Amino acid sequence: DIELDDDVLSSILAYQTQQLNPHFLHYMNWSLAHYTNEEKVDILLKIAERSAKKGEYFLIVADAKNFSHAMAGLGIVDGEWEFNGVKYDKFIPCYDCNAMVEDKETSTLYASGFSADGSIFINSKTKETYMHFYYNIGKCDGLSFFACDDYDLMNYKGKINPSDSYI
């Protein structure tokens, strides 16, 4: 609902640029390198459950050998799903700015923000994960996740409601 004039776009660009703070990047890269995939899934589940109780979004970075992509986690859902013979019991809905939905009447694609195809299914026992979108484009090789709900760290010296400490 915001008109995207030059001032707004400039503020968004400045905010995104400033968000690439070295403290957060070091933390994320350290986490991706030092935890096993099973530990990363446990952290993801823990943060999703904690954020669901608080009614807050949290950051998820899907990371693989040849790409990395950020999205917002929207909580966690228990259920039963099966893909390619593997059963999943947890679902983390994700808000992803790249999520597209096709209008059936006009065949037009539009940004929806949420898509089950871009969300994460998890088998909490085996720690297997599944994201339909990444599976379909062949990017699930080595796919792992970084999750964070530490707003002070993520917004340290940010442009909008900045935190002045990351500890």
mmCIF file of all heavy atoms in Angstrom, residues 7 18 56 60 69 93-94:
data_model
loop_
_atom_site.group_PDB
_atom_site.id
_atom_site.type_symbol
_atom_site.label_atom_id
_atom_site.label_comp_id
_atom_site.label_asym_id
_atom_site.label_seq_id
_atom_site.Cartn_x
_atom_site.Cartn_y
_atom_site.Cartn_z
ATOM 1 N N ASP A 7 12.048 8.294 -3.490
ATOM 2 C CA ASP A 7 12.442 8.397 -2.081
ATOM 3 C C ASP A 7 12.245 7.075 -1.348
ATOM 4 O O ASP A 7 13.095 6.652 -0.564
ATOM 5 C CB ASP A 7 11.641 9.502 -1.368
ATOM 6 C CG ASP A 7 12.051 10.893 -1.821
ATOM 7 O OD1 ASP A 7 13.206 11.043 -2.297
ATOM 8 O OD2 ASP A 7 11.226 11.817 -1.704
ATOM 9 N N GLN A 18 22.402 -1.483 4.416
ATOM 10 C CA GLN A 18 22.862 -1.377 5.797
ATOM 11 C C GLN A 18 22.624 -2.671 6.570
ATOM 12 O O GLN A 18 23.345 -2.977 7.502
ATOM 13 C CB GLN A 18 22.140 -0.218 6.480
ATOM 14 C CG GLN A 18 22.834 0.272 7.716
ATOM 15 C CD GLN A 18 22.327 1.634 8.121
ATOM 16 O OE1 GLN A 18 21.284 2.063 7.663
ATOM 17 N NE2 GLN A 18 23.059 2.302 8.962
ATOM 18 N N GLU A 56 5.369 -13.907 15.947
ATOM 19 C CA GLU A 56 6.334 -13.105 15.205
ATOM 20 C C GLU A 56 6.884 -13.892 14.013
ATOM 21 O O GLU A 56 6.914 -15.114 14.022
ATOM 22 C CB GLU A 56 7.506 -12.712 16.105
ATOM 23 C CG GLU A 56 7.121 -11.826 17.255
ATOM 24 C CD GLU A 56 8.294 -11.523 18.175
ATOM 25 O OE1 GLU A 56 9.342 -12.193 18.096
ATOM 26 O OE2 GLU A 56 8.149 -10.595 18.990
ATOM 27 N N ILE A 60 14.665 -17.020 7.710
ATOM 28 C CA ILE A 60 15.167 -18.317 7.253
ATOM 29 C C ILE A 60 16.026 -18.047 6.015
ATOM 30 O O ILE A 60 15.607 -17.310 5.117
ATOM 31 C CB ILE A 60 14.043 -19.289 6.859
ATOM 32 C CG1 ILE A 60 13.109 -19.556 8.032
ATOM 33 C CG2 ILE A 60 14.625 -20.598 6.320
ATOM 34 C CD1 ILE A 60 11.867 -20.353 7.650
ATOM 35 N N HIS A 69 19.109 -18.116 -0.374
ATOM 36 C CA HIS A 69 17.913 -17.290 -0.525
ATOM 37 C C HIS A 69 17.248 -17.087 0.828
ATOM 38 O O HIS A 69 17.085 -18.031 1.595
ATOM 39 C CB HIS A 69 16.940 -17.964 -1.501
ATOM 40 C CG HIS A 69 15.714 -17.165 -1.747
ATOM 41 N ND1 HIS A 69 15.739 -15.951 -2.401
ATOM 42 C CD2 HIS A 69 14.431 -17.386 -1.414
ATOM 43 C CE1 HIS A 69 14.506 -15.467 -2.464
ATOM 44 N NE2 HIS A 69 13.694 -16.323 -1.872
ATOM 45 N N PRO A 93 5.351 -22.538 7.106
ATOM 46 C CA PRO A 93 4.931 -21.635 6.034
ATOM 47 C C PRO A 93 5.960 -20.515 5.895
ATOM 48 O O PRO A 93 6.461 -19.991 6.887
ATOM 49 C CB PRO A 93 3.592 -21.076 6.511
ATOM 50 C CG PRO A 93 3.190 -21.909 7.673
ATOM 51 C CD PRO A 93 4.423 -22.525 8.226
ATOM 52 N N CYS A 94 6.282 -20.164 4.660
ATOM 53 C CA CYS A 94 7.290 -19.127 4.414
ATOM 54 C C CYS A 94 6.708 -18.018 3.552
ATOM 55 O O CYS A 94 5.974 -18.269 2.602
ATOM 56 C CB CYS A 94 8.507 -19.716 3.712
ATOM 57 S SG CYS A 94 9.394 -20.926 4.703
#
